[in-house]
Amino acid sequence: MKLSNLIVVKNDKEVTREDIYLADGKFADKYKTDNIISFQDAVAYPSFINVHDHLIGNWLPLAGLNRPYPNSNIWVEDMKNSFSFKERDKYWTNDGSFNLLKGNGLEMAMLGVYKNIFSGITIVQDHIPKQDDRYYESFPIEVIRNYHQVHSITLNNWWGGNSLEKEFSLCNEHTPFIIHLAEGTDKISKSEFAKLKKMIPLRNNILLVHCVAFDRDDFQEIKRNDVNIAWCPESNFYLLDKTLDIYTVIDLQINVSIGTDSTMSGSINLFSELRFIKDRFPDISPRIIFRMVTSNPAKALKLKDYSGKIEKGQQANLLITSIKSNDPYENILGLYSSDIHLMLYQGKPILGLKKYLCHFNVIPEEYYFYTKNGKEYFVIGHPERILAHIEQCLGYKKKFAFLP
Ligand SMILES: [Zn+2]
């Protein structure tokens, strides 16, 4: 298959007008083909990676009545008494086991996957205790399976999983070890980095989520040891009224990636997060932000088959959108779901304009079709059935702003 008439953002440096060739779910060399899609006023990107989410936490509205919190541990307790938590319980009951293959757990996670799909994401890290393989095999995009995790230093693995040392010992150098750290502004948050260093060595497979309480010395140590950071600004401002010192992180060239967190504390989706960053941090170059949703998370998550770049031999994970800005990097900071022309995961159509679906060898019943702003779209699977099931459990209508 050939995709033509596109501006192609191959990576953070190269923008071309070359055609894109796809074969066997990968980006391929030029070859002769009659299957050609010609786009109009569109730009192609490597599709985005969400470095931090909690798929089952994507319920609405936001939770937390006592903001700003000195640290997120207090919010976790508050959240359990929130309207959202209790309402979600009527659909998926959080019995504390965090076995998501029970009850409506998998469907709840799928709702979270839709939040990601509708904002250009084909790979997401779901921060939750490790699930059975069947969980990770259930989704139309990649939910990272290769990782070990701990919730946080202070709350440890309250939601299941082993001790911090045990989880870390299960990682080899190619396995990300992921933990919330220093998510707050108080002494407890500030003390967490020192505690972590007493428990495990700093290594380049570690992904620290938040780091709001870090100072420059802490960040220098992070850089020296090639540790990765996940940045969730909307969630941080909502809970703590503060985020990490992003200008220092960028200045030190730390490998930082953007995460949405769940909608109970964070953004509606990644597009919203990107617009928020443009608004709050106008001095960050759009190219740097682009890296934070493509090649940086690919590196942090140790992905083998996708570098977050459009390059031959890599998984054909592609996001094609409208052009709304002269600068294709700046363009990603103003996108909405309805700007997506076509999105592919390993060459398979996930979301896009209905007129493009006939170019692919797919089963129409596997897709949901809908109209937005007068245009017809398709999306993989059936989000409308999930919503209908939720409404049946609740006994009334429910809106999720990230669904079309
Ligand atoms: Zn989180």
Side-chain angles (χ1 to χ4, degrees):
M1 166 174 280
K2 174 168 130 179
L3 309 178
S4 74
N5 198 28
L6 286 163
I7 295 170
V8 181
V9 178
K10 295 171 89 173
N11 53 53
D12 65 335
K13 291 181 190 73
E14 284 177 278
V15 179
T16 73
R17 299 233 38 145
E18 295 164 34
D19 296 329
I20 297 174
Y21 290 85
L22 309 174
D24 302 326
K26 293 186 171 158
F27 295 119
D29 272 332
K30 187 175 176 175
Y31 66 96
K32 214 170 168 43
T33 174
D34 295 331
N35 192 3
I36 301 166
I37 305 182
S38 184
F39 291 85
Q40 272 183 335
D41 302 321
V43 51
Y45 302 97
S47 62
F48 299 157
I49 301 165
N50 185 0
V51 85
H52 185 70
D53 199 346
H54 306 273
L55 292 176
I56 51 162
N58 287 301
W59 201 266
L60 286 163
L62 288 151
L65 294 173
N66 300 301
R67 293 172 296 118
Y69 295 95
N71 63 60
S72 63
N73 312 318
I74 304 169
W75 175 77
V76 168
E77 292 313 311
D78 248 18
M79 183 266 297
K80 291 175 189 166
N81 294 308
S82 68
F83 171 81
S84 265
F85 190 93
K86 288 176 182 163
E87 188 183 55
R88 187 188 59 179
D89 254 356
K90 294 179 195 166
Y91 165 63
W92 169 66
T93 307
N94 186 346
D95 63 3
S97 72
F98 286 89
N99 176 355
L100 301 179
L101 294 176
K102 284 201 310 195
N104 293 326
L106 194 54
E107 200 180 73
M108 181 61 230
M110 189 60 213
L111 181 72
V113 161
Y114 277 113
K115 178 193 85 169
N116 284 277
I117 287 175
F118 285 112
S119 57
I121 293 161
T122 56
I123 299 178
V124 54
Q125 203 287 318
D126 181 23
H127 196 37
I128 198 79
K130 281 292 277 287
Q131 303 292 310
D132 286 351
D133 282 351
R134 188 156 73 81
Y135 179 76
Y136 300 101
E137 286 157 7
S138 299
F139 304 107
I141 60 171
E142 182 173 352
V143 176
I144 297 288
R145 184 190 321 214
N146 176 42
Y147 70 96
H148 285 283
Q149 67 78 42
V150 169
H151 180 275
S152 58
I153 290 273
T154 304
L155 297 182
N156 219 309
N157 255 341
W158 67 273
W159 56 10
N162 298 299
S163 69
L164 194 153
E165 290 92 337
K166 174 73 182 166
E167 290 276 344
F168 185 75
S169 74
L170 293 170
C171 297
N172 65 33
E173 58 187 312
H174 305 295
T175 313
F177 174 77
I178 306 170
I179 182 169
H180 293 123
L181 198 83
E183 188 182 4
T185 53
D186 63 354
K187 274 190 180 150
I188 293 170
S189 310
K190 282 190 177 43
S191 69
E192 286 189 345
F193 189 36
K195 286 180 187 158
L196 180 77
K197 287 186 285 181
K198 277 192 187 143
M199 299 168 95
I200 57 171
L202 295 180
R203 288 200 321 219
N204 72 5
N205 65 320
I206 296 176
L207 172 60
L208 302 178
V209 184
H210 300 309
C211 305
V212 176
F214 275 31
D215 60 23
R216 194 176 174 92
D217 289 346
D218 296 332
F219 285 127
Q220 278 171 333
E221 200 167 354
I222 291 293
K223 177 60 190 174
R224 277 199 301 278
N225 292 283
D226 250 343
V227 172
N228 307 282
I229 288 181
W231 182 37
C232 310
E234 268 206 75
S235 178
N236 294 156
F237 276 107
Y238 177 75
L239 294 182
L240 315 168
D241 216 8
K242 192 174 187 280
T243 191
L244 54 70
D245 179 0
I246 189 64
Y247 293 109
T248 294
V249 170
I250 291 169
D251 182 41
L252 294 173
Q253 298 185 343
I254 289 169
N255 191 53
V256 58
S257 311
I258 295 166
T260 57
D261 228 342
S262 80
T263 56
M264 279 202 204
S265 66
S267 52
I268 281 296
N269 63 21
L270 185 67
F271 287 162
S272 160
E273 192 88 39
L274 294 174
R275 294 194 301 271
F276 179 86
I277 291 170
K278 183 188 177 178
D279 189 50
R280 295 293 280 259
F281 302 94
D283 296 335
I284 306 177
S285 143
R287 266 173 210 267
I288 289 178
I289 298 171
F290 172 79
R291 272 207 304 260
M292 293 183 198
V293 291
T294 53
S295 54
N296 287 7
K299 185 179 171 205
L301 296 170
K302 309 274 182 197
L303 303 183
K304 286 193 188 81
D305 304 310
Y306 182 57
S307 57
K309 299 172 184 175
I310 296 176
E311 55 191 8
K312 198 190 102 184
Q314 296 280 307
Q315 284 180 351
N317 300 337
L318 198 63
L319 171 65
I320 298 174
T321 75
S322 307
I323 308 169
K324 301 160 87 182
S325 162
N326 289 331
D327 174 354
Y329 297 103
E330 170 104 30
N331 194 56
I332 68 165
L333 307 181
L335 292 175
Y336 291 83
S337 303
S338 55
D339 293 317
I340 295 175
H341 293 212
L342 185 64
M343 207 170 131
L344 306 179
Y345 171 60
Q346 296 194 29
K348 187 177 179 182
I350 300 297
L351 172 65
L353 292 165
K354 192 181 169 191
K355 63 182 178 183
Y356 297 133
L357 200 57
C358 62
H359 290 270
F360 297 87
N361 186 15
V362 294
I363 303 162
E365 289 73 29
E366 288 182 355
Y367 292 85
Y368 171 60
F369 299 92
Y370 61 97
T371 304
K372 185 107 184 172
N373 302 339
K375 288 183 188 157
E376 284 186 286
Y377 293 86
F378 69 85
V379 66
I380 186 92
H382 288 281
E384 84 287 7
R385 291 183 194 161
I386 298 176
L387 186 61
H389 188 203
I390 288 170
E391 290 177 342
Q392 187 196 358
C393 293
L394 297 180
Y396 51 84
K397 291 269 173 203
K398 177 76 184 167
K399 252 192 147 16
F400 293 94
F402 49 80
L403 293 179

